[in-house]
Amino acid sequence: MTDIEANYEEIRKGLPDHVTVVAAAKTRTVEEVATAVRAGITVAGHNYLQEAGKMVGAFGNEVKWHMLGHLQKNKVKKAVQIFDVIETVDSWALAELLDRHCAAMDKIMPILVEINSGREPNKTGVFPEKVDHFVQRLADLQHIRVQGLMTMGPRFGDPENARPYFLETKAAFDRLAAAGIPHIEMRFLSMGMSNSYEIAVEEGSNMVRIGTKLFGPRTE
Ligand SMILES: *Cc1c(COP(=O)(O)O)cnc(C)c1O
């Protein structure tokens, strides 16, 4: 068995069945991702449009692709062609543009709203106290469908320190689910990476994005 297969087995063993593992494929090769898919990965994510464009074509319908990086407005059209889910919607301007391109392609794009749970000024994402109003507005757009929330949270050496940020994002998720806004689903809560996913799942995550622990350390 290759390392990637052993790593996936190890990760999966520690997770409840309802948690989806998104293979974070940035800097990885098609061969590495193909190995992960043979091991059982069905959802992969990418941060960079160019590389993702090349990679996605190598896989068929067996893999769903999520955009994990910040989406620049001039790249929305390409992103709509490549991805099955955009996890990083964080502004009305971006949402509207996505909606427009999806309409032109007769497509409905599932999206997650990215939460800046650490309220870090130089990071992307909607502040937790702004998300309710933002999601209300998104309900009017016909060609995107909100299916949940995503957060990165601040980076710490000790992932235990990330717990309050996961908690706060889960609280927003529950609040929005209870609000019962038409066309809005709270199905996916994407939180947790290699060093923090176990804590994120304890706090209610059902979608973890894993690169290093699956593929090994990034060299680039
Ligand atoms: C790279 C990346 C991950 C995975 O990070 P690891 O620490 O390698 O597991 C998860 N989410 C996003 C948005 C990323 O860019």
Side-chain angles (χ1 to χ4, degrees), residues 129-179:
E129 62 273 20
K130 304 257 189 206
V131 69
D132 303 72
H133 179 66
F134 183 54
V135 168
Q136 284 277 359
R137 288 184 78 192
L138 295 183
D140 291 337
L141 299 174
Q142 301 294 308
H143 291 86
I144 63 172
R145 279 287 180 276
V146 178
Q147 293 195 336
L149 305 180
M150 176 273 212
T151 197
M152 294 277 288
R155 294 264 199 167
F156 296 106
D158 181 355
E160 190 58 46
N161 293 328
R163 194 184 290 275
Y165 303 96
F166 295 147
L167 254 163
E168 183 159 8
T169 308
K170 174 62 157 65
F173 183 85
D174 289 344
R175 212 162 60 226
L176 283 161

Side-chain angles (χ1 to χ4, degrees), residues 24 26 47 68 150 152 155 193-194 209-212 218:
K26 62 174 180 273
N47 296 59
L68 302 181
M150 176 273 212
M152 294 277 288
R155 294 264 199 167
M193 323 202 322
S194 289
R209 309 176 308 269
I210 299 187
T212 308
R218 276 185 293 277

Side-chain angles (χ1 to χ4, degrees), residues 37-220:
V37 170
R38 276 197 303 277
I41 283 288
T42 58
V43 184
H46 216 298
N47 296 59
Y48 311 118
L49 251 318
Q50 286 276 320
E51 285 95 298
K54 289 178 210 149
M55 194 172 268
V56 168
F59 298 89
N61 288 332
E62 87 243 70
V63 185
K64 295 280 184 224
W65 286 89
H66 289 203
M67 175 60 172
L68 302 181
H70 182 62
L71 183 51
Q72 291 168 286
K73 294 190 190 69
N74 62 342
K75 294 183 176 159
V76 165
K77 185 175 179 185
K78 180 103 196 281
V80 168
Q81 290 165 342
I82 294 176
F83 289 105
D84 301 294
V85 177
I86 309 287
E87 291 206 18
T88 49
V89 175
D90 69 345
S91 75
W92 176 253
L94 174 60
E96 223 181 5
L97 206 54
L98 264 171
D99 185 66
R100 207 169 335 131
H101 282 290
C102 288
M105 286 180 228
D106 201 20
K107 185 168 176 171
I108 292 178
M109 177 66 79
I111 64 144
L112 306 184
V113 172
E114 182 176 359
I115 307 296
N116 183 350
S117 53
R119 298 183 178 79
E120 297 170 281
N122 51 353
K123 292 256 180 82
T124 53
V126 180
F127 282 13
E129 62 273 20
K130 304 257 189 206
V131 69
D132 303 72
H133 179 66
F134 183 54
V135 168
Q136 284 277 359
R137 288 184 78 192
L138 295 183
D140 291 337
L141 299 174
Q142 301 294 308
H143 291 86
I144 63 172
R145 279 287 180 276
V146 178
Q147 293 195 336
L149 305 180
M150 176 273 212
T151 197
M152 294 277 288
R155 294 264 199 167
F156 296 106
D158 181 355
E160 190 58 46
N161 293 328
R163 194 184 290 275
Y165 303 96
F166 295 147
L167 254 163
E168 183 159 8
T169 308
K170 174 62 157 65
F173 183 85
D174 289 344
R175 212 162 60 226
L176 283 161
I181 305 163
H183 312 304
I184 301 294
E185 284 181 282
M186 285 292 130
R187 274 171 69 189
F188 300 113
L189 181 55
S190 174
M191 328 190 277
M193 323 202 322
S194 289
N195 70 338
S196 62
Y197 73 93
E198 283 147 316
I199 288 168
V201 168
E202 282 172 20
E203 297 307 337
S205 168
N206 61 18
M207 184 168 271
V208 296
R209 309 176 308 269
I210 299 187
T212 308
K213 189 157 179 178
L214 179 62
F215 296 111
R218 276 185 293 277
T219 49
E220 288 172 43

